[in-house]
Amino acid sequence: MIAAERFERAAVLGVAVAEETRRLIRLHLMPAEVGEDGKVVVDVPFPDAAVVTALLDVAADCFGERGESVEETRQAALETLLQLADFDADSQLNATNR
């Protein structure tokens, strides 16, 4: 496998991970809390929470995200994942209806 093909496959996998994260968050988006700092808090129940946690941990390692705590590291990875998948206007997280 040549380097360009490996890069393309890695890019497709990265977008798939980002979209799956967005799909799981969108699935549990309502009802959501808005914190005083404007951040939206989404309660993702088990077993989806385990998947989201694993995706964020992998993304944090991949992107080299660091934080003072595990939660801050995961939050940074989430923000990067959401930015990565934002280019797709058809993304489920961008949809107004479920």
Side-chain angles (χ1 to χ4, degrees):
M1 183 180 322
I2 61 174
E5 187 178 347
R6 287 184 10 207
F7 180 76
E8 182 180 354
R9 287 182 179 188
V12 170
L13 177 61
V15 171
V17 167
E19 280 300 317
E20 180 61 9
T21 303
R22 289 169 63 111
R23 185 190 70 79
L24 289 170
I25 291 171
R26 176 72 176 165
L27 181 65
H28 302 290
L29 190 58
M30 297 310 244
E33 284 180 41
V34 178
E36 291 180 15
D37 58 358
K39 290 186 179 178
V40 176
V41 179
V42 179
D43 182 29
V44 179
F46 183 83
D48 290 346
V51 174
V52 171
T53 299
L55 291 170
L56 293 178
D57 289 345
V58 167
D61 284 344
C62 178
F63 300 141
E65 299 289 0
R66 298 288 176 255
E68 291 186 22
S69 68
V70 173
E71 290 306 316
E72 285 183 11
T73 301
R74 288 177 180 153
Q75 180 64 36
L78 175 62
E79 290 171 7
T80 303
L81 275 174
L82 294 178
Q83 289 171 356
L84 176 65
D86 192 44
F87 71 88
D88 185 0
D90 296 329
S91 174
Q92 293 179 2
L93 200 57
N94 292 335
T96 56
N97 299 330
R98 284 201 229 192

